[in-house]
Amino acid sequence: MDASRLASAALSTTTARAEGLLDLSVVVPIYNEVDSLPLLIEKIAEAVQGAGLSYEMIVVDDGSSDGTVELMQRFAEERDDLKAVILRRNYGQTAAMAAGFNYAVGDAIVTLDGDLQNDPADIPMLLAKLNEGYDLVSGWRKKRQDAALTRLLPSKIANILIGKVTGVKIRDYGCSLKAYRSELVADMNLYGELHRFLPALAFMEGARITEMPVRHHARQFGESKYGLGRTIRVIMDLLTIYFMKRFLTKPMHGFGVAGLLSIVAGFVLGLYLTFLKLGGSAIGDRPLLTLVAILILGGVQLLCFGLLGELMMRTYHESQNRPIYRVRSVVGRPKVAQKA
Ligand code: UDP
Ligand code: MG
């Protein structure tokens, strides 16, 4: 797409979003799922048409090489309820979802996997829950159909850890079937494997979150794109989230306090060594001396990181006009006194 068409596409997406043109956008990241694609599209359309919603489906191709792209393009040309967003290469599920969010114009957004492990028939139920006044409804695969040792166990541990660290109590972060208010999604930036942390990120944005049991099927077509390696990446992302949750708007409170403690400890131990030295003992071969040096140097570095963090945090918020708070609503319109 050339630059001007890209610009006009972006513009029309923004206006459509502002006007709330559709009730629902269904976003599906897809990587090499040629076999399930036809049934997927049919099932989603059937489910949301049954609920009488105005909707669009946005399928995002994440660099597939198995014919998914061609099929997707054909469907998108034939149907008027389908938008195909085709990425240039494989960026990963999170990026594919972010791309889908960017093109979505619905008031609500539902995401699900492209392999039909999630059941499109659950979409109306999630939406009904969303309309009870939630900003995010997360699916909970109560009877999950995946391998016990390599999938269910790591996922169980991850869910407990994520719950502890983020303070969001839902049981199944990994479930892709989720419904969101579109304003919420517009406020969030996604990186890494962060899509599973969307509830946590949303919670940080002050969202009302709930979960409900959804169906889950064993993979009928193709194979899973992930192995055990994902666990490590999820744990790294969890560290990031933890840090963002605690210190995003106040890095100096984290780094600064640790730095100061380290310097004080170094100073006290250093003082002790000084007294020994003045008392005539040799301190050159004391491991404690090394510790003093490390504590003080480390402390100074931590303080500097804190200061840098403060600068970067300001750049982050101010360059994007991101306030450090989120307003849910403003009520009332007091009359402004007219000037005589
Ligand atoms: N996916 C993607 N890009 C990737 C890997 C996966 O868009 O790099 C899609 C994939 O096509 C599927 C969803 O993300 O629609 C979830 O992937 P998968 O079913 O392999 O994960 P699992 O259900 O095994 O956790
Ligand atoms: Mg799957």
Side-chain angles (χ1 to χ4, degrees), residues 29 31 33 62 90 93 114-115 117 151 219 224-225 230:
Y31 179 47
E33 311 279 4
D62 187 19
N90 179 247
Q93 190 179 348
D115 54 1
Q117 285 197 271
R151 309 304 297 272
R219 229 182 205 277
S224 174
K225 310 296 181 286
R230 173 162 68 181

Side-chain angles (χ1 to χ4, degrees), residues 46-301:
E46 188 186 299
V48 292
Q49 279 166 8
L53 299 165
S54 62
Y55 72 97
E56 64 176 348
M57 293 180 267
I58 301 183
V59 285
V60 184
D61 173 71
D62 187 19
S64 301
S65 53
D66 66 343
T68 302
V69 185
E70 293 73 18
L71 193 63
M72 201 183 258
Q73 270 168 337
R74 216 184 68 220
F75 281 131
E77 277 155 21
E78 283 168 5
R79 311 180 62 112
D80 54 8
D81 58 355
L82 182 72
K83 207 184 282 175
V85 177
I86 292 149
L87 302 184
R88 289 206 176 154
R89 63 167 172 86
N90 179 247
Y91 288 91
Q93 190 179 348
T94 300
M97 284 173 66
F101 289 155
N102 230 359
Y103 285 90
V105 299
D107 282 335
I109 298 179
V110 166
T111 54
L112 70 161
D113 280 352
D115 54 1
L116 282 171
Q117 285 197 271
N118 299 129
D119 198 325
D122 286 333
I123 296 176
M125 180 180 79
L126 284 180
L127 279 181
K129 192 83 190 169
L130 194 70
N131 289 334
E132 283 175 19
Y134 292 101
D135 299 305
L136 193 167
V137 182
S138 185
W140 165 30
R141 295 166 292 181
K142 206 169 172 182
K143 299 201 181 104
R144 190 169 160 193
Q145 309 294 327
D146 277 322
L149 201 62
T150 53
R151 309 304 297 272
L152 301 193
L153 185 69
S155 146
K156 195 150 209 119
I157 297 170
N159 282 326
I160 293 173
L161 264 181
I162 298 173
K164 280 244 168 342
V165 168
T166 62
V168 192
K169 294 286 172 267
I170 62 174
R171 271 162 283 207
D172 186 7
Y173 287 87
C175 181
S176 305
L177 181 55
K178 292 188 172 86
Y180 311 83
R181 293 252 136 262
S182 62
E183 313 88 84
L184 182 69
V185 171
D187 279 344
M188 290 186 292
N189 294 328
L190 294 179
Y191 303 94
E193 299 267 324
L194 284 190
H195 67 272
R196 75 188 50 246
F197 296 104
L198 271 167
L201 292 170
F203 184 68
M204 282 155 59
E205 302 278 350
R208 297 193 185 106
I209 299 169
T210 190
E211 70 178 345
M212 68 190 310
V214 294
R215 280 166 278 198
H216 191 247
H217 306 290
R219 229 182 205 277
Q220 278 177 287
F221 309 98
E223 52 196 32
S224 174
K225 310 296 181 286
Y226 300 105
L228 264 179
R230 173 162 68 181
T231 319
I232 312 255
R233 298 198 295 270
V234 167
I235 288 175
M236 292 299 128
D237 282 342
L238 186 62
L239 271 177
T240 311
I241 293 278
Y242 174 72
F243 180 78
M244 291 200 351
K245 180 166 176 267
R246 288 283 306 270
F247 302 120
L248 181 63
T249 56
K250 44 181 188 314
M252 202 52 183
H253 292 200
F255 288 114
V257 169
L260 213 59
L261 284 178
S262 177
I263 291 174
V264 169
F267 187 74
V268 170
L269 292 176
L271 222 57
Y272 166 68
L273 284 182
T274 312
F275 277 120
L276 288 189
K277 174 81 186 164
L278 292 179
S281 335
I283 58 167
D285 55 354
R286 302 272 313 242
L288 200 60
L289 190 62
T290 320
L291 184 66
V292 166
I294 291 175
L295 282 173
I296 292 181
L297 283 176
V300 170
Q301 283 192 331

